[in-house]
Amino acid sequence: MAVKTHNSCGNISISDSAIAKVAAHASMDCYGIVELVSPHFADSLFVLFNKGRGAKGVKVSTVSDRIFIEVFVIIKFGVSIQAVADSLKETIKYNVEKFTGMIVDTVNVNIAGVKL
């Protein structure tokens, strides 16, 4: 699906894939994040064979003008999980809302692992 809005110049439609790429880029700018990972092996194969579609480790769903984001990350060993997760949520929320002009309802962070 996509989020849709309109202004005086016409209609605007932003795909979930575009939102996922923004969220993925914002995630990698956060301190403590090593990489984004797909939650399932089948998803890894899908991303591998469909390069350029979506972003690995980010799932986006939209309902009306609300955006729900779920990220799967590996964090750096020795950092506070709570601090990194809170920072990641705020960074993604800010960047996606700035990009789309829509409201991000939820950002769920899933820690898939820790890397030295």
Side-chain angles (χ1 to χ4, degrees):
M1 296 192 71
V3 287
K4 296 178 182 179
T5 187
H6 62 279
N7 60 19
S8 60
C9 296
N11 294 324
I12 301 168
S13 177
I14 305 168
S15 71
D16 290 352
S17 176
I19 295 169
K21 286 181 182 180
V22 171
H25 185 69
S27 297
M28 293 313 298
D29 287 342
C30 285
Y31 176 76
I33 302 298
V34 176
E35 66 181 300
L36 296 167
V37 294
S38 296
H40 306 290
F41 181 71
D43 292 342
S44 297
L45 291 175
F46 180 76
V47 170
L48 180 66
F49 292 115
N50 292 303
K51 292 182 182 178
R53 298 189 72 189
K56 178 177 76 167
V58 180
K59 288 186 178 182
V60 175
S61 58
T62 55
V63 177
S64 181
D65 64 345
R66 299 280 189 190
I67 302 169
F68 302 89
I69 301 171
E70 190 164 7
V71 293
F72 298 85
V73 296
I74 292 179
I75 64 168
K76 185 177 183 178
F77 178 77
V79 299
S80 167
I81 292 174
Q82 184 67 43
V84 171
D86 289 343
S87 173
L88 182 59
K89 287 179 184 183
E90 289 301 316
T91 300
I92 290 172
K93 182 174 173 39
Y94 173 78
N95 282 289
V96 171
E97 285 179 350
K98 183 178 167 190
F99 173 73
T100 62
M102 308 289 179
I103 296 170
V104 174
D105 196 80
T106 306
V107 177
N108 293 322
V109 176
N110 299 286
I111 309 297
V114 177
K115 199 169 201 177
L116 297 176

